[in-house]
């Protein structure tokens, strides 16, 4: 991506950092002081998109140039390359907010393409049951584990109550700790009813 609009490619790369005792990849920005044929990359910013809001991802973060919002400007998507780290809030949408050819970036979200989905972590086990005896089928979801960025891995049961109707169901998250099941000691919660 040509961040400074000078006709050559600059570099966004990851660098391991320690934040709250956990290892994260922080994206760094290297400006190309060379040209399109011979690069001369020099560190321009230790954190991207800015020092107050760095994209911090566990799992070998990579930056991808992509027009995510169809405004004809190149945005940046940052996501982990390894699947063995946190599995939620790990897809950053960094928007080009500039009005000139010189790019300016701002974080929009750290859960790009996932915010409208039910995401309970790794290996979801879904069961349908009328938990509250209102005649509507609710959803209980167990997981193998949820790996948030804070490193507090845990397994639990999620309760989504059906607040709609029989013809048009709608589900609201009531709790991510149904029946006080949240536990870092037990992995692989799978609900069963009978």
């Amino acid at each position: 991506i040509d961040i400074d609009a000078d006709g050559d490619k600059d570099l966004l790369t990851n660098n391991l950092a320690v934040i709250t005792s956990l290892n994260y990849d922080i994206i760094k920005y290297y400006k190309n002081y060379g040209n399109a044929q011979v690069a001369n990359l020099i560190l321009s910013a230790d954190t991207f998109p800015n020092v107050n809001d760095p994209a911090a991802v566990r799992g070998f973060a990579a930056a991808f140039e992509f027009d995510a919002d169809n405004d004809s400007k190149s945005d940046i998507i940052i996501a982990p390359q390894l699947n063995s780290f946190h599995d939620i809030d790990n897809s950053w949408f960094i928007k080009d907010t500039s009005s000139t050819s010189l790019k300016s970036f701002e974080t929009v979200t750290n859960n790009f393409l996932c915010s409208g989905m039910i995401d309970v972590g790794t290996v979801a086990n879904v069961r349908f049951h009328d938990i509250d005896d209102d005649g509507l089928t609710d959803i209980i979801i167990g997981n193998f584990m949820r790996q948030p960025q804070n490193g507090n891995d845990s397994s639990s049961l999620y309760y989504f109550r059906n607040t709609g109707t029989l013809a048009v169901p709608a589900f609201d998250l009531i709790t991510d700790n149904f029946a006080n099941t949240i536990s870092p000691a037990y992995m692989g919660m799978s609900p069963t009813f009978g």
Side-chain angles (χ1 to χ4, degrees):
I1 187 166
D2 187 6
I3 291 178
D4 56 2
D6 64 354
D8 55 31
K9 296 288 185 181
D10 302 302
L11 177 66
L12 296 174
T13 188
N14 71 5
N15 185 57
L16 186 63
V18 177
I19 301 174
T20 63
S21 77
L22 296 173
N23 293 330
Y24 287 85
D25 291 322
I26 301 295
I27 300 298
K28 292 188 172 200
Y29 163 48
Y30 288 83
K31 178 178 171 30
N32 186 355
Y33 286 94
N35 56 49
Q37 288 73 39
V38 179
N40 180 16
L41 298 168
I42 297 176
L43 180 63
S44 182
D46 276 328
T47 58
F48 181 85
N50 62 59
V51 70
N52 295 322
D53 189 24
V57 176
R58 292 172 66 197
F60 194 65
F64 303 92
E65 181 180 10
F66 172 67
D67 183 7
D69 56 2
N70 277 334
D71 65 355
S72 299
K73 294 188 281 187
S74 292
D75 305 304
I76 304 293
I77 302 299
I78 298 172
Q81 296 298 296
L82 300 176
N83 63 2
S84 60
F85 289 93
H86 73 277
D87 55 8
I88 57 171
D89 299 335
N90 63 359
S91 181
W92 291 65
F93 170 25
I94 314 293
K95 179 178 176 53
D96 180 357
T97 58
S98 65
S99 57
T100 66
S101 61
L102 185 61
K103 297 186 179 303
S104 176
F105 291 97
E106 183 179 303
T107 300
V108 174
T109 184
N110 67 352
N111 62 354
F112 181 62
L113 299 178
C114 300
S115 62
M117 294 187 231
I118 294 175
D119 186 356
V120 300
T122 303
V123 186
N125 298 297
V126 181
R127 299 294 182 268
F128 300 93
H129 187 77
D130 185 3
I131 299 297
D132 55 4
D133 290 323
D134 64 355
L136 301 173
T137 302
D138 305 304
I139 301 174
I140 300 292
I141 306 174
N143 62 4
F144 178 74
M145 88 171 63
R146 182 177 171 114
Q147 299 172 311
Q149 287 196 23
N150 66 14
N152 295 327
D153 300 351
S154 63
S155 183
S156 66
L157 297 176
Y158 292 71
Y159 169 34
F160 292 85
R161 183 172 186 260
N162 187 343
T163 57
T165 65
L166 284 174
V168 183
F171 298 93
D172 291 333
L173 175 64
I174 302 302
T175 182
D176 64 353
N177 189 16
F178 182 69
N180 295 317
T181 54
I182 198 164
S183 173
Y186 302 107
M187 298 295 165
M189 298 275 182
S190 183
T192 303
F193 300 97

